[in-house]
Amino acid sequence: MGVIVLGSANHDTSVSMPRIPAPGETILATGAASGPGGKGLNQAVAAARSGAATTFVGAVGDDEAGERLRGVLIDEGVRVGLGTSDRPTGTAFVMVADDGENAIVVVAGANGDGAAITAEAASALASARSGDLVLAQLEVPLDAVLSAFRSAKERGATTVLNAAPSRPLSEDQLALVDVLIVNQHECLDLAGAPVGGAADAAGAPVVGVTDDAGASVEGVADDAGAPVEGAADDAGAPVVGVTDDAVADAARFLAARVGTVVVTLGAAGALVLSAGEETRIPAFPVTAVDTTAAGDTFCGALASRLAAGDALTAAVPFASAAAALCVQRPGAAASAPRLDEITELLATRA
């Protein structure tokens, strides 16, 4: 069965530097590169490289950058459903520090053209059927995501939402989601939204977690030292003000509304809640070089295995291995590993 990814596509400019500069500070870069990115495109490439028949739905501008992104997807064997917008192709500027940390600024451009994306989604979903999987994120208009999920559900396909960047979602909106993938910040943020604020499931305020601070853009670790999604970074520091119990309680709150929740916990691995059961999946410890697309690689790889019929207990370790490989090389979409690499790393845990 196949994976249909709906999301953003960007032309990334990545700059390497000793560390991320403070506000008002100038730092000399050690290098620069450009390439494809965007949460949606990254996840589509990761799914395809993980072995899934993959379709990507999004929008680009009528410009050179848009044509390059189309070419990248075709070269990766991804079926392309890209609408052409009168807005320019999305752009991301990525700062990557020597320790693998990063900071990202995104100019949405065509990614904000909900009409173009919705039209392409309708075409791509016309042939969706039971066993197919529709994966989306929140870097494109929410209405486009919800419309695609409604169509997917009508056709018996499975819907997977990577709720990043984080934003409030109503219970009716969450009801369209079969599998929810979030990091610690996003988990707490979403659990707080239905009860009117950034509070955990127990009602306690979440210290230091806001929508802006908690938004995970392309798998970036947070400023407090939150580890890489699906892989253990060198810091391994806990998220300031957030306890493991608070995250677990928030995940249970969400699982009661969605059914299946996967929370990525960095060095602590992942927490999977489904059918009333909770499972902890350990991470693969690695030294991170560039965390830019770690979360996206996790999501794309997970989607590929769920579409293949794997149980979550098999799909999540696969996704964790893919993310661990991803962070050991630079770049966004280009850093996603291929199936043979993931299988080889998984075999070390057998």
Side-chain angles (χ1 to χ4, degrees):
M1 299 301 171
V3 174
I4 300 171
V5 181
L6 183 147
S8 57
N10 293 326
H11 176 72
D12 286 0
T13 297
S14 180
V15 182
S16 302
M17 57 195 64
R19 58 183 174 79
I20 305 300
E25 181 182 16
T26 299
I27 287 181
L28 295 178
T30 56
S34 62
K39 294 190 71 63
L41 186 146
N42 293 342
Q43 293 182 15
V45 170
R49 290 187 177 185
S50 296
T54 305
T55 300
F56 178 68
V57 174
V60 294
D62 184 13
D63 49 33
E64 184 180 347
E67 285 306 306
R68 283 199 298 268
L69 295 181
R70 289 180 191 272
V72 166
L73 289 163
I74 292 170
D75 289 346
E76 292 288 346
V78 176
R79 182 185 173 205
V80 179
L82 279 176
T84 301
S85 173
D86 57 4
R87 307 178 191 184
T89 296
T91 305
F93 302 92
V94 186
M95 295 182 289
V96 182
D98 287 347
D99 64 359
E101 291 285 353
N102 60 37
I104 303 171
V105 177
V106 177
V107 182
N111 295 312
D113 191 339
I117 295 172
T118 298
E120 288 295 331
S123 176
L125 288 165
S127 59
R129 61 193 188 278
S130 178
D132 287 339
L133 186 146
V134 179
L135 168 64
Q137 323 79 37
L138 298 176
E139 280 192 338
V140 296
L142 180 59
D143 286 347
V145 173
L146 298 177
S147 175
F149 277 7
R150 291 188 189 99
S151 296
K153 300 282 274 187
E154 289 170 359
R155 291 165 173 76
T158 299
T159 57
V160 180
L161 178 65
N162 172 215
S166 180
R167 59 166 296 164
L169 296 172
S170 70
E171 294 202 15
D172 287 345
Q173 291 166 343
L174 287 172
L176 294 170
V177 180
D178 293 316
V179 181
L180 177 67
I181 307 172
V182 287
N183 65 17
Q184 298 172 81
H185 290 297
E186 294 151 1
C187 180
L188 290 160
D189 210 18
L190 279 178
V195 294
D200 70 10
V206 179
V207 179
V209 177
T210 67
D211 187 57
D212 289 336
S216 174
V217 181
E218 301 183 17
V220 63
D222 82 316
D223 290 338
V228 180
E229 299 178 33
D233 72 355
D234 291 334
V239 181
V240 175
V242 175
T243 67
D244 188 62
D245 286 345
V247 173
D249 285 344
R252 294 180 191 114
F253 179 91
L254 294 170
R257 288 148 180 81
V258 174
T260 296
V261 176
V262 179
V263 186
T264 55
L265 302 170
L271 173 63
V272 180
L273 296 87
S274 186
E277 297 185 358
E278 298 181 16
T279 307
R280 294 269 182 167
I281 307 294
F284 290 85
V286 298
T287 299
V289 171
D290 183 352
T291 63
T292 303
D296 293 335
T297 297
F298 181 97
C299 292
L302 180 67
S304 75
R305 296 318 306 163
L306 293 178
D310 283 6
L312 280 163
T313 50
V316 173
F318 180 93
S320 182
L325 289 164
C326 162
V327 301
Q328 297 179 73
R329 57 192 71 168
S335 67
R338 300 193 180 274
L339 180 59
D340 58 343
E341 298 176 273
I342 303 169
T343 302
E344 183 178 351
L345 179 56
L346 272 175
T348 65
R349 181 173 283 180

